[in-house]
Amino acid sequence: MNRVTASLLILAALAVGVHSAAIDAPIDFYKLYDNPEAHISLKSKATTADRTAAHGYPSEHHHIVTEDGYILGVFRIPYSHKLQNQNVKRPIVLLQHGLSSCSDAWVLQGPDDSLPYLLADAGFDVWMGNARGTSYSRNHTTLSTDHPLFWQFSWHEIAIYDITAIIDYALGTENGQGQDAIHYVGHSQGTTVYFALMSWIPEYNDKIKTAHMFAPVAIMKNLSSRLVRALGPYLGHRNTYSVLFGSQEFLPHNEFLMAIFFNMCQPDFMLRPVCESAVATLYSGGRVNMTAMPEGMATHPAGCSTDQMLHYLQEQQSGYFRLFDHGTKKNLKVYGSEEPPEYPVELIDSLVHMWYADNDDLAAVQDVEQLAKRLPNKVMHHMADPEWNHGDFSLNKEVRKYVNEPVIAIMEEFELENGGT
């Protein structure tokens, strides 16, 4: 969803354009004030649970408290209404979103193509995580989002606190009881937190059956993103710029503005053409699911801490996959060394499937393959389509054929060979 922020800006501009065009023409004030839709009444934003329930799937919204006090909103499709398999033990799958995204991203393409629905219909118990700071995980046991300490986290904390909490909670929930491991799917930052967790707390590898990394991001030395390469020299080091930018909410959450964008993209709203026009402006190559994109604009960006971005920029500048760089003085205090330590990815012995592509500007082939050389138990899936890019793993109109179905087949084979343990 790396173009969604731009989408929102275009959408706003188009909305202004619509307004300008309207006032240049004669105004029928009677129709204006007699039109019930002119008196805009904003609908409540649909949650991931609402979206899945709308397609007939059983849907649950869980609140999970992490060891350091963050309260995560996590969604679950426990079984398939088509299979009626609620009384059968179902293998657990956790899906983890990318930076500034959320659980909504997994269901945008609807029940025929989206991975959560396909997994549920294949007999899996599906969990969709939301990292701290996203629209579904903006609560804490003691801190308000207005408190600067709330935003003092990077993807390292998401890895060691959020992902561990979700895995343990899912395994301890009804149906999870008696199972000791799950399947994991991550996209972009969802892969970063996996690599960080499984190398930093390696005992969690025992809780993984198969792991699927969509657009793996860890080593970032060779990425081609112009934005990241432009910002790296300024924000990828501990200096005045990064200190001023750090430990705050990126694009502060505004319920009113997000509600406006959400409502603009509703299928039955009069300004739906504005939303569709913005989508068409950005996505004209015919590769993405155009029906899903207005839903994406209605739900993204979903929020994050600027420290997550700083951490990625540090990776790009250093060329290493390592912990957050606090500067020499604090590094000595926290790590006992002037430089932050590298993640020992050699300790990741869970079965990792790497799904990567030539046209991904954030996960360069060279970087992915360099990381893979250090992983003891991996399978490489180099996408054959030379145009496949970072967002295609969630938005491509053929993602079911080229990614989702192969992933499910791998999970099913594992279950068959291991007796569903």
Side-chain angles (χ1 to χ4, degrees):
M1 303 304 296
N2 53 346
R3 294 202 226 174
V4 171
T5 302
S7 301
L8 295 179
L9 295 175
I10 292 175
L11 188 148
L14 287 170
V16 171
V18 168
H19 175 72
S20 300
I23 62 176
D24 287 340
I27 299 174
D28 187 329
F29 286 99
Y30 178 79
K31 286 186 177 180
L32 177 65
Y33 289 103
D34 194 45
N35 178 5
E37 205 170 4
H39 306 278
I40 297 177
S41 177
L42 299 181
K43 300 178 182 178
S44 297
K45 179 178 176 292
T47 66
T48 303
D50 296 328
R51 295 172 187 277
T52 54
H55 293 295
Y57 289 82
S59 191
E60 299 175 2
H61 187 174
H62 295 255
H63 295 89
I64 302 173
V65 181
T66 68
E67 184 182 336
D68 58 346
Y70 286 83
I71 303 172
L72 312 176
V74 176
F75 295 95
R76 180 192 187 196
I77 305 177
Y79 61 91
S80 170
H81 63 300
K82 299 176 183 178
L83 301 178
Q84 290 296 313
N85 58 334
Q86 57 267 41
N87 296 321
V88 178
K89 183 177 286 188
R90 286 121 19 230
I92 299 169
V93 183
L94 170 60
L95 310 180
Q96 187 62 29
H97 61 79
L99 181 68
S100 80
S101 187
C102 64
S103 54
D104 291 326
W106 294 107
V107 299
L108 294 179
Q109 300 220 45
D112 292 334
D113 296 291
S114 294
L115 186 56
Y117 301 120
L118 297 175
L119 282 165
D121 290 339
F124 290 87
D125 180 357
V126 184
W127 295 75
M128 291 170 276
N130 284 290
R132 60 186 63 193
T134 60
S135 52
Y136 294 118
S137 301
R138 295 174 56 82
N139 290 297
H140 191 279
T141 54
T142 60
L143 297 174
S144 161
T145 53
D146 294 328
H147 198 292
L149 289 181
F150 181 96
W151 299 102
Q152 201 170 88
F153 62 83
S154 179
W155 37 259
H156 177 79
E157 286 71 30
I158 293 171
I160 65 171
Y161 293 119
D162 297 5
I163 305 303
T164 56
I166 298 171
I167 291 174
D168 293 340
Y169 183 94
L171 286 172
T173 302
E174 182 184 359
N175 174 54
Q177 294 169 355
Q179 298 188 53
D180 55 11
I182 68 167
H183 297 278
Y184 181 96
V185 181
H187 179 221
S188 192
Q189 182 185 258
T191 73
T192 311
V193 296
Y194 184 86
F195 295 134
L197 168 60
M198 297 301 162
S199 58
W200 204 246
I201 313 179
E203 54 265 35
Y204 268 83
N205 284 278
D206 295 334
K207 299 185 180 186
I208 301 298
K209 295 178 177 180
T210 68
H212 302 267
M213 308 289 102
F214 295 170
V217 179
I219 299 171
M220 302 177 68
K221 185 176 182 179
N222 296 289
L223 63 75
S224 59
S225 168
R226 292 181 181 180
L227 179 60
V228 174
R229 298 191 77 85
L231 292 175
Y234 299 97
L235 296 175
H237 305 274
R238 195 66 177 173
N239 54 32
T240 302
Y241 298 114
S242 60
V243 170
L244 291 174
F245 184 73
S247 299
Q248 57 189 297
E249 182 177 10
F250 180 70
L251 294 177
H253 189 82
N254 186 305
E255 288 286 355
F256 178 71
L257 288 178
M258 291 307 295
I260 288 178
F261 286 127
F262 170 74
N263 278 263
M264 275 185 170
C265 294
Q266 289 299 293
D268 58 347
F269 195 64
M270 65 179 178
L271 289 179
R272 172 74 174 205
V274 176
C275 185
E276 291 177 346
S277 180
V279 170
T281 299
L282 282 171
Y283 299 92
S284 56
R287 296 177 56 82
V288 302
N289 185 327
M290 296 299 286
T291 303
M293 281 311 300
E295 296 299 316
M297 292 179 66
T299 56
H300 292 74
C304 66
S305 168
T306 53
D307 283 355
Q308 292 166 254
M309 296 183 169
L310 290 177
H311 201 169
Y312 276 127
L313 292 170
Q314 291 174 4
E315 304 291 284
Q316 187 271 328
Q317 286 292 288
S318 71
Y320 295 103
F321 181 46
R322 60 189 189 181
L323 278 75
F324 193 87
D325 188 352
H326 299 284
T328 303
K329 184 176 180 180
K330 189 172 181 179
N331 284 345
L332 284 168
K333 182 178 179 180
V334 175
Y335 306 128
S337 59
E338 293 186 356
E339 297 286 336
E342 282 194 73
Y343 288 101
V345 295
E346 291 80 5
L347 299 180
I348 304 175
D349 59 7
S350 49
L351 178 57
V352 179
H353 290 263
M354 306 281 273
W355 301 80
Y356 63 115
D358 291 325
N359 197 35
D360 191 330
D361 64 346
L362 294 173
V365 168
Q366 185 176 346
D367 291 337
V368 172
E369 293 180 344
Q370 182 181 344
L371 175 71
K373 290 178 181 178
R374 298 168 59 191
L375 299 176
N377 192 14
K378 79 279 186 176
V379 180
M380 307 300 287
H381 303 270
H382 192 165
M383 302 301 293
D385 183 352
E387 295 185 22
W388 196 274
N389 61 39
H390 200 76
D392 277 336
F393 286 98
S394 60
L395 296 173
N396 191 284
K397 62 184 181 182
E398 294 189 287
V399 71
R400 171 175 178 161
K401 175 181 178 182
Y402 292 111
V403 177
N404 292 346
E405 288 181 344
V407 165
I408 293 173
I410 292 168
M411 293 181 185
E412 289 178 326
E413 182 180 2
F414 179 95
E415 295 297 327
L416 184 63
E417 291 179 352
N418 293 274
T421 58

PDB file of all heavy atoms in Angstrom, residues 4-28:
ATOM      1  N   VAL A   4      -0.834   4.585  -1.277  1.00  0.00           N
ATOM      2  CA  VAL A   4      -2.140   4.987  -0.788  1.00  0.00           C
ATOM      3  C   VAL A   4      -2.157   6.422  -0.298  1.00  0.00           C
ATOM      4  O   VAL A   4      -3.133   7.144  -0.488  1.00  0.00           O
ATOM      5  CB  VAL A   4      -2.612   4.032   0.325  1.00  0.00           C
ATOM      6  CG1 VAL A   4      -3.867   4.553   0.984  1.00  0.00           C
ATOM      7  CG2 VAL A   4      -2.880   2.653  -0.260  1.00  0.00           C
ATOM      8  N   THR A   5      -1.056   6.881   0.345  1.00  0.00           N
ATOM      9  CA  THR A   5      -1.008   8.267   0.791  1.00  0.00           C
ATOM     10  C   THR A   5      -1.169   9.208  -0.389  1.00  0.00           C
ATOM     11  O   THR A   5      -1.922  10.191  -0.328  1.00  0.00           O
ATOM     12  CB  THR A   5       0.324   8.554   1.510  1.00  0.00           C
ATOM     13  OG1 THR A   5       0.446   7.645   2.609  1.00  0.00           O
ATOM     14  CG2 THR A   5       0.349   9.975   2.032  1.00  0.00           C
ATOM     15  N   ALA A   6      -0.455   8.903  -1.483  1.00  0.00           N
ATOM     16  CA  ALA A   6      -0.606   9.725  -2.684  1.00  0.00           C
ATOM     17  C   ALA A   6      -2.032   9.654  -3.208  1.00  0.00           C
ATOM     18  O   ALA A   6      -2.599  10.646  -3.689  1.00  0.00           O
ATOM     19  CB  ALA A   6       0.371   9.259  -3.760  1.00  0.00           C
ATOM     20  N   SER A   7      -2.651   8.487  -3.087  1.00  0.00           N
ATOM     21  CA  SER A   7      -4.021   8.313  -3.535  1.00  0.00           C
ATOM     22  C   SER A   7      -4.957   9.259  -2.795  1.00  0.00           C
ATOM     23  O   SER A   7      -5.843   9.878  -3.372  1.00  0.00           O
ATOM     24  CB  SER A   7      -4.477   6.872  -3.305  1.00  0.00           C
ATOM     25  OG  SER A   7      -3.669   5.959  -3.971  1.00  0.00           O
ATOM     26  N   LEU A   8      -4.735   9.366  -1.478  1.00  0.00           N
ATOM     27  CA  LEU A   8      -5.595  10.221  -0.680  1.00  0.00           C
ATOM     28  C   LEU A   8      -5.456  11.683  -1.085  1.00  0.00           C
ATOM     29  O   LEU A   8      -6.439  12.429  -1.130  1.00  0.00           O
ATOM     30  CB  LEU A   8      -5.257  10.055   0.801  1.00  0.00           C
ATOM     31  CG  LEU A   8      -5.530   8.671   1.397  1.00  0.00           C
ATOM     32  CD1 LEU A   8      -5.120   8.643   2.864  1.00  0.00           C
ATOM     33  CD2 LEU A   8      -6.991   8.303   1.262  1.00  0.00           C
ATOM     34  N   LEU A   9      -4.218  12.107  -1.389  1.00  0.00           N
ATOM     35  CA  LEU A   9      -4.005  13.480  -1.821  1.00  0.00           C
ATOM     36  C   LEU A   9      -4.696  13.758  -3.148  1.00  0.00           C
ATOM     37  O   LEU A   9      -5.322  14.804  -3.340  1.00  0.00           O
ATOM     38  CB  LEU A   9      -2.508  13.772  -1.938  1.00  0.00           C
ATOM     39  CG  LEU A   9      -1.723  13.713  -0.624  1.00  0.00           C
ATOM     40  CD1 LEU A   9      -0.229  13.896  -0.900  1.00  0.00           C
ATOM     41  CD2 LEU A   9      -2.209  14.780   0.339  1.00  0.00           C
ATOM     42  N   ILE A  10      -4.595  12.805  -4.071  1.00  0.00           N
ATOM     43  CA  ILE A  10      -5.261  12.964  -5.358  1.00  0.00           C
ATOM     44  C   ILE A  10      -6.766  12.984  -5.184  1.00  0.00           C
ATOM     45  O   ILE A  10      -7.481  13.779  -5.788  1.00  0.00           O
ATOM     46  CB  ILE A  10      -4.849  11.835  -6.327  1.00  0.00           C
ATOM     47  CG1 ILE A  10      -3.376  12.006  -6.709  1.00  0.00           C
ATOM     48  CG2 ILE A  10      -5.715  11.828  -7.577  1.00  0.00           C
ATOM     49  CD1 ILE A  10      -2.837  10.880  -7.552  1.00  0.00           C
ATOM     50  N   LEU A  11      -7.253  12.105  -4.297  1.00  0.00           N
ATOM     51  CA  LEU A  11      -8.688  12.042  -4.049  1.00  0.00           C
ATOM     52  C   LEU A  11      -9.192  13.381  -3.517  1.00  0.00           C
ATOM     53  O   LEU A  11     -10.235  13.882  -3.936  1.00  0.00           O
ATOM     54  CB  LEU A  11      -8.970  10.926  -3.055  1.00  0.00           C
ATOM     55  CG  LEU A  11     -10.439  10.572  -2.792  1.00  0.00           C
ATOM     56  CD1 LEU A  11     -10.544   9.084  -2.492  1.00  0.00           C
ATOM     57  CD2 LEU A  11     -10.993  11.370  -1.633  1.00  0.00           C
ATOM     58  N   ALA A  12      -8.432  13.968  -2.581  1.00  0.00           N
ATOM     59  CA  ALA A  12      -8.834  15.252  -2.032  1.00  0.00           C
ATOM     60  C   ALA A  12      -8.856  16.335  -3.111  1.00  0.00           C
ATOM     61  O   ALA A  12      -9.761  17.167  -3.179  1.00  0.00           O
ATOM     62  CB  ALA A  12      -7.891  15.658  -0.896  1.00  0.00           C
ATOM     63  N   ALA A  13      -7.829  16.309  -3.974  1.00  0.00           N
ATOM     64  CA  ALA A  13      -7.766  17.286  -5.056  1.00  0.00           C
ATOM     65  C   ALA A  13      -8.935  17.126  -6.018  1.00  0.00           C
ATOM     66  O   ALA A  13      -9.535  18.108  -6.481  1.00  0.00           O
ATOM     67  CB  ALA A  13      -6.445  17.153  -5.807  1.00  0.00           C
ATOM     68  N   LEU A  14      -9.268  15.878  -6.323  1.00  0.00           N
ATOM     69  CA  LEU A  14     -10.396  15.629  -7.219  1.00  0.00           C
ATOM     70  C   LEU A  14     -11.704  16.075  -6.580  1.00  0.00           C
ATOM     71  O   LEU A  14     -12.598  16.577  -7.252  1.00  0.00           O
ATOM     72  CB  LEU A  14     -10.461  14.147  -7.575  1.00  0.00           C
ATOM     73  CG  LEU A  14      -9.379  13.660  -8.546  1.00  0.00           C
ATOM     74  CD1 LEU A  14      -9.400  12.146  -8.620  1.00  0.00           C
ATOM     75  CD2 LEU A  14      -9.595  14.253  -9.924  1.00  0.00           C
ATOM     76  N   ALA A  15     -11.815  15.889  -5.280  1.00  0.00           N
ATOM     77  CA  ALA A  15     -13.024  16.320  -4.590  1.00  0.00           C
ATOM     78  C   ALA A  15     -13.178  17.835  -4.687  1.00  0.00           C
ATOM     79  O   ALA A  15     -14.270  18.359  -4.899  1.00  0.00           O
ATOM     80  CB  ALA A  15     -12.984  15.881  -3.130  1.00  0.00           C
ATOM     81  N   VAL A  16     -12.046  18.552  -4.516  1.00  0.00           N
ATOM     82  CA  VAL A  16     -12.070  20.000  -4.670  1.00  0.00           C
ATOM     83  C   VAL A  16     -12.468  20.372  -6.090  1.00  0.00           C
ATOM     84  O   VAL A  16     -13.236  21.294  -6.331  1.00  0.00           O
ATOM     85  CB  VAL A  16     -10.691  20.603  -4.316  1.00  0.00           C
ATOM     86  CG1 VAL A  16     -10.653  22.067  -4.673  1.00  0.00           C
ATOM     87  CG2 VAL A  16     -10.411  20.403  -2.841  1.00  0.00           C
ATOM     88  N   GLY A  17     -11.943  19.600  -7.066  1.00  0.00           N
ATOM     89  CA  GLY A  17     -12.288  19.847  -8.461  1.00  0.00           C
ATOM     90  C   GLY A  17     -13.766  19.687  -8.721  1.00  0.00           C
ATOM     91  O   GLY A  17     -14.390  20.465  -9.437  1.00  0.00           O
ATOM     92  N   VAL A  18     -14.355  18.670  -8.122  1.00  0.00           N
ATOM     93  CA  VAL A  18     -15.792  18.446  -8.277  1.00  0.00           C
ATOM     94  C   VAL A  18     -16.565  19.617  -7.704  1.00  0.00           C
ATOM     95  O   VAL A  18     -17.528  20.115  -8.282  1.00  0.00           O
ATOM     96  CB  VAL A  18     -16.208  17.129  -7.576  1.00  0.00           C
ATOM     97  CG1 VAL A  18     -17.716  17.027  -7.479  1.00  0.00           C
ATOM     98  CG2 VAL A  18     -15.656  15.937  -8.343  1.00  0.00           C
ATOM     99  N   HIS A  19     -16.111  20.108  -6.538  1.00  0.00           N
ATOM    100  CA  HIS A  19     -16.792  21.227  -5.898  1.00  0.00           C
ATOM    101  C   HIS A  19     -16.683  22.480  -6.761  1.00  0.00           C
ATOM    102  O   HIS A  19     -17.657  23.207  -6.962  1.00  0.00           O
ATOM    103  CB  HIS A  19     -16.177  21.482  -4.523  1.00  0.00           C
ATOM    104  CG  HIS A  19     -16.728  22.701  -3.833  1.00  0.00           C
ATOM    105  ND1 HIS A  19     -18.005  22.720  -3.317  1.00  0.00           N
ATOM    106  CD2 HIS A  19     -16.190  23.924  -3.604  1.00  0.00           C
ATOM    107  CE1 HIS A  19     -18.229  23.918  -2.780  1.00  0.00           C
ATOM    108  NE2 HIS A  19     -17.140  24.659  -2.941  1.00  0.00           N
ATOM    109  N   SER A  20     -15.484  22.728  -7.315  1.00  0.00           N
ATOM    110  CA  SER A  20     -15.271  23.913  -8.135  1.00  0.00           C
ATOM    111  C   SER A  20     -16.150  23.888  -9.371  1.00  0.00           C
ATOM    112  O   SER A  20     -16.724  24.898  -9.761  1.00  0.00           O
ATOM    113  CB  SER A  20     -13.794  24.009  -8.549  1.00  0.00           C
ATOM    114  OG  SER A  20     -12.985  24.085  -7.406  1.00  0.00           O
ATOM    115  N   ALA A  21     -16.217  22.694  -9.996  1.00  0.00           N
ATOM    116  CA  ALA A  21     -17.040  22.577 -11.194  1.00  0.00           C
ATOM    117  C   ALA A  21     -18.497  22.854 -10.869  1.00  0.00           C
ATOM    118  O   ALA A  21     -19.237  23.435 -11.655  1.00  0.00           O
ATOM    119  CB  ALA A  21     -16.892  21.181 -11.787  1.00  0.00           C
ATOM    120  N   ALA A  22     -18.908  22.451  -9.670  1.00  0.00           N
ATOM    121  CA  ALA A  22     -20.305  22.611  -9.298  1.00  0.00           C
ATOM    122  C   ALA A  22     -20.678  24.073  -9.129  1.00  0.00           C
ATOM    123  O   ALA A  22     -21.753  24.504  -9.539  1.00  0.00           O
ATOM    124  CB  ALA A  22     -20.585  21.837  -8.021  1.00  0.00           C
ATOM    125  N   ILE A  23     -19.777  24.887  -8.549  1.00  0.00           N
ATOM    126  CA  ILE A  23     -20.151  26.275  -8.281  1.00  0.00           C
ATOM    127  C   ILE A  23     -20.008  27.155  -9.510  1.00  0.00           C
ATOM    128  O   ILE A  23     -20.476  28.270  -9.521  1.00  0.00           O
ATOM    129  CB  ILE A  23     -19.309  26.856  -7.122  1.00  0.00           C
ATOM    130  CG1 ILE A  23     -17.812  26.862  -7.472  1.00  0.00           C
ATOM    131  CG2 ILE A  23     -19.555  26.091  -5.845  1.00  0.00           C
ATOM    132  CD1 ILE A  23     -16.967  27.518  -6.407  1.00  0.00           C
ATOM    133  N   ASP A  24     -19.356  26.642 -10.585  1.00  0.00           N
ATOM    134  CA  ASP A  24     -19.279  27.409 -11.825  1.00  0.00           C
ATOM    135  C   ASP A  24     -20.580  27.342 -12.609  1.00  0.00           C
ATOM    136  O   ASP A  24     -20.832  28.162 -13.486  1.00  0.00           O
ATOM    137  CB  ASP A  24     -18.139  26.866 -12.717  1.00  0.00           C
ATOM    138  CG  ASP A  24     -16.775  27.250 -12.140  1.00  0.00           C
ATOM    139  OD1 ASP A  24     -16.735  28.195 -11.346  1.00  0.00           O
ATOM    140  OD2 ASP A  24     -15.787  26.575 -12.489  1.00  0.00           O
ATOM    141  N   ALA A  25     -21.406  26.340 -12.311  1.00  0.00           N
ATOM    142  CA  ALA A  25     -22.671  26.175 -13.012  1.00  0.00           C
ATOM    143  C   ALA A  25     -23.796  26.772 -12.165  1.00  0.00           C
ATOM    144  O   ALA A  25     -23.631  27.005 -10.969  1.00  0.00           O
ATOM    145  CB  ALA A  25     -22.926  24.689 -13.261  1.00  0.00           C
ATOM    146  N   PRO A  26     -24.950  27.033 -12.796  1.00  0.00           N
ATOM    147  CA  PRO A  26     -26.094  27.529 -12.020  1.00  0.00           C
ATOM    148  C   PRO A  26     -26.481  26.534 -10.931  1.00  0.00           C
ATOM    149  O   PRO A  26     -26.461  25.333 -11.147  1.00  0.00           O
ATOM    150  CB  PRO A  26     -27.202  27.647 -13.068  1.00  0.00           C
ATOM    151  CG  PRO A  26     -26.489  27.775 -14.360  1.00  0.00           C
ATOM    152  CD  PRO A  26     -25.248  26.966 -14.226  1.00  0.00           C
ATOM    153  N   ILE A  27     -26.798  27.033  -9.773  1.00  0.00           N
ATOM    154  CA  ILE A  27     -27.111  26.181  -8.639  1.00  0.00           C
ATOM    155  C   ILE A  27     -28.614  26.161  -8.392  1.00  0.00           C
ATOM    156  O   ILE A  27     -29.254  27.198  -8.274  1.00  0.00           O
ATOM    157  CB  ILE A  27     -26.393  26.673  -7.356  1.00  0.00           C
ATOM    158  CG1 ILE A  27     -24.874  26.635  -7.561  1.00  0.00           C
ATOM    159  CG2 ILE A  27     -26.796  25.829  -6.146  1.00  0.00           C
ATOM    160  CD1 ILE A  27     -24.102  27.227  -6.413  1.00  0.00           C
ATOM    161  N   ASP A  28     -29.162  24.974  -8.349  1.00  0.00           N
ATOM    162  CA  ASP A  28     -30.558  24.798  -8.002  1.00  0.00           C
ATOM    163  C   ASP A  28     -30.627  24.586  -6.495  1.00  0.00           C
ATOM    164  O   ASP A  28     -30.446  23.490  -5.998  1.00  0.00           O
ATOM    165  CB  ASP A  28     -31.139  23.578  -8.733  1.00  0.00           C
ATOM    166  CG  ASP A  28     -32.649  23.457  -8.534  1.00  0.00           C
ATOM    167  OD1 ASP A  28     -33.131  23.882  -7.461  1.00  0.00           O
ATOM    168  OD2 ASP A  28     -33.321  22.938  -9.438  1.00  0.00           O
TER     169      ASP A  28
END
